[in-house]
Amino acid sequence: MKKYIYTMVFGLILSACTKKEDTTIVISVLEDVTETNFIAKPNAETITGFFGFQDDLWHSVTFRYSRITSLTMNSRDVISIEKEHHLLGNELQRRRLVADFKKKSTSLLQAKKDSAVYRYSSIWLPLIEELKEVQKDSAPTEIYLFSDLRENTKFFSTYKATDMSLLTQKPVAVLNLFLRKSERVQSSNRIKVIVVYQPRTIAEDELFQKLKQLYVQLFSRIGISIEFTSKLNTRSL
């Protein structure tokens, strides 16, 4: 009888711990490399701090990284570390696996950037593609977009006076133009987009404020949370 009780109690503890450790988080970084002089750039120590291993060594994390260029579809690097049960796992071995995962993530973030000069910059469409990808899973996700949001594509360009005039005089028309490119994105309370950008001049700041307002309205309509910051602070998800 005692053996049965011990087995049942252990089973309940194991089940409860398993539910706790089912947490998986996704951290995605989209880095705009169409400009070489951005002040705010991905910092590996800060980004890997978002993995949350300081709070839970055993949970699962997926790290995604992609560079934004002139192309709509850019290559994406995706690496993951699977969850383990702390009652069944080896803590020393787990710490080694976590260290290796963080090292691989750092290598992706610090890989040498190409020296190409990009004539165009596609920001919105790669972001939409990333949203579609992360919506295939149910894990809590944060997408860090390092960019000045300066779209320069055929459907809209911040370098064209006519397009910027349209944004100022008929913002709803521009809003709908962008929304038509995001029709398959679903609203979600588990995804958050964080735009990271530090203007260097008053002119850059004024332009960014206009684009920021556009993105606020876009994500309000889409139903996904968005935040803006000039500098990331280390924190856990």
Side-chain angles (χ1 to χ4, degrees), residues 3-222:
K3 183 177 180 181
Y4 172 76
I5 293 175
Y6 291 152
T7 302
M8 183 175 66
V9 171
F10 180 76
L12 290 173
I13 294 174
L14 187 64
S15 176
C17 292
T18 300
K19 290 181 180 179
K20 180 181 178 181
E21 295 173 358
D22 273 346
T23 305
T24 298
I25 64 172
V26 177
I27 299 295
S28 173
V29 172
L30 301 180
E31 183 179 7
D32 185 350
V33 296
T34 60
E35 300 286 348
T36 60
N37 55 0
F38 286 140
I39 296 175
K41 297 181 180 181
N43 177 276
E45 183 177 357
T46 300
I47 297 298
T48 56
F50 297 157
F51 294 166
F53 292 121
Q54 63 271 29
D55 299 320
D56 185 355
L57 183 67
W58 305 93
H59 71 170
S60 173
V61 178
T62 294
F63 177 62
R64 301 171 59 86
Y65 176 76
S66 180
R67 293 175 181 172
I68 290 180
T69 64
S70 301
L71 305 176
T72 300
M73 300 294 293
N74 296 292
S75 62
R76 285 174 170 78
D77 292 292
V78 182
I79 58 175
S80 299
I81 181 171
E82 298 300 322
K83 68 177 183 293
E84 292 186 60
H85 199 293
H86 79 277
L87 293 179
L88 304 176
N90 181 307
E91 183 174 344
L92 181 60
Q93 184 180 41
R94 179 65 177 182
R95 290 190 180 278
R96 289 172 179 168
L97 288 173
V98 167
D100 184 59
F101 177 72
K102 294 172 73 172
K103 183 178 180 180
K104 290 179 180 178
S105 301
T106 297
S107 295
L108 291 176
L109 290 165
Q110 296 180 344
K112 185 178 179 180
K113 311 296 189 294
D114 63 58
S115 58
V117 177
Y118 294 97
R119 185 177 179 183
Y120 303 100
S121 56
S122 180
I123 312 298
W124 183 246
L125 295 180
L127 176 57
I128 291 302
E129 289 302 317
E130 183 66 3
L131 286 169
K132 291 177 184 177
E133 284 297 316
V134 299
Q135 285 191 334
K136 293 178 181 179
D137 297 316
S138 58
T141 301
E142 291 197 345
I143 300 175
Y144 293 89
L145 173 61
F146 289 80
S147 175
D148 58 1
L149 306 181
R150 293 204 65 176
E151 196 76 32
N152 187 19
T153 54
K154 291 182 179 179
F155 84 89
F156 185 85
S157 175
T158 58
Y159 295 89
K160 288 183 180 179
T162 53
D163 285 354
M164 290 306 298
S165 177
L166 185 66
L167 177 61
T168 302
Q169 299 177 12
K170 297 182 179 180
V172 175
V174 176
L175 179 69
N176 290 332
L177 181 65
F178 276 73
L179 286 173
R180 284 196 291 272
K181 304 291 183 180
S182 58
E183 292 177 347
R184 288 166 49 195
V185 176
Q186 301 175 350
S187 63
S188 175
N189 60 6
R190 64 174 182 79
I191 298 175
K192 180 187 295 183
V193 175
I194 302 94
V195 178
V196 188
Y197 176 66
Q198 173 63 62
R200 294 168 302 171
T201 66
I202 294 177
E204 286 182 349
D205 184 56
E206 290 176 346
L207 175 57
F208 183 72
Q209 292 305 316
K210 292 180 180 180
L211 298 174
K212 174 182 175 180
Q213 185 59 32
L214 172 63
Y215 269 65
V216 168
Q217 294 175 349
L218 285 167
F219 278 87
S220 176
R221 291 281 294 274
I222 292 174

